[in-house]
């Protein structure tokens, strides 16, 4: 059994209805520089929904193994803890998940506006999208869950 190197109980992990096997915590949104910094936790031995990255993503694997899968579910790439990548926007759909343990990955999403991720069904039809505005709304809800503003 692998012991996690990153102790995360203080992080208030958030979930999205209908999106299984992952949780998130938005660290910061820098509107002026168009940067969204977020932690994603991918469940061990699971794959999240099929999707496309429509914005530049810088990633750093903090803990576990970040796995990327082809559309048919076969393993495409494994990124060990300590791996940094810079991935431009792409029309290539994929799934992501954790390895033997949950994977915690820092994402720095960089895009001036618009759609950041397209969510796809198994026939590669776009069924939803996550935009900069969606992340801003999720950040507000995360920090003020009852709607109260500071």
């Amino acid at each position: 059994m692998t012991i996690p190197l990153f102790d995360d109980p203080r992080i208030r992990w958030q979930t999205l209805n209908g999106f299984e096997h992952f949780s998130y915590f938005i660290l910061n949104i820098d509107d002026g520089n168009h940067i969204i910094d977020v932690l994603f936790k991918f469940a061990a031995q699971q794959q999240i929904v099929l999707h496309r990255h429509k914005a530049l993503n810088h990633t750093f694997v903090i803990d576990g193994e970040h796995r990327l899968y082809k559309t048919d579910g076969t393993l495409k790439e494994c990124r060990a803890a300590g791996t940094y990548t810079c991935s431009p926007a792409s029309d290539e759909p994929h799934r992501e998940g954790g390895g033997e343990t949950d994977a915690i990955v820092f994402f720095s999403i960089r895009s001036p506006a618009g759609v950041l991720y397209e969510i796809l069904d198994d026939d590669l039809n776009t069924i939803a999208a996550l935009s900069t505005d969606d992340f801003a709304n999720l950040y507000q809800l995360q920090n003020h869950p009852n709607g109260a503003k500071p």
Side-chain angles (χ1 to χ4, degrees):
M1 178 176 169
T2 304
I3 298 173
L5 300 175
F6 183 77
D7 189 20
D8 69 339
R10 289 190 215 158
I11 297 173
R12 296 182 334 268
W13 293 106
Q14 308 293 305
T15 58
L16 289 172
N17 288 336
F19 291 82
E20 296 182 338
H21 311 303
F22 93 103
S23 52
Y24 70 91
F25 184 80
I26 300 170
L27 298 166
N28 188 55
I29 296 180
D30 181 342
D31 291 322
N33 291 308
H34 311 292
I35 299 171
I36 300 170
D37 291 333
V38 60
L39 293 175
F40 286 120
K41 182 191 275 190
F42 299 100
Q45 301 295 321
Q46 299 293 329
Q47 295 181 29
I48 66 167
V49 66
L50 192 61
H51 64 283
R52 290 186 183 108
H53 292 217
K54 302 303 288 181
L56 175 65
N57 281 259
H58 290 240
T59 64
F60 181 77
V61 182
I62 296 171
D63 194 35
E65 182 181 73
H66 181 210
R67 294 182 177 178
L68 287 84
Y69 298 88
K70 297 177 184 177
T71 56
D72 65 3
T74 59
L75 186 62
K76 175 183 173 184
E77 183 179 348
C78 295
R79 299 174 179 167
T83 302
Y84 173 81
T85 57
C86 180
S87 303
S90 173
D91 285 329
E92 183 180 344
H94 66 279
R95 299 177 196 274
E96 299 174 60
E100 296 298 318
T101 62
D102 292 346
I104 298 175
V105 184
F106 170 78
F107 275 68
S108 187
I109 307 161
R110 300 163 186 214
S111 180
V115 174
L116 304 175
Y117 298 104
E118 288 180 342
I119 311 305
L120 309 170
D121 65 16
D122 289 336
D123 295 321
L124 305 181
N125 298 306
T126 301
I127 57 172
L130 292 171
S131 68
T132 52
D133 288 342
D134 293 323
F135 273 87
N137 291 334
L138 291 171
Y139 190 51
Q140 177 69 26
L141 288 170
Q142 170 186 292
N143 293 325
H144 309 288
N146 296 323
K149 295 191 178 186

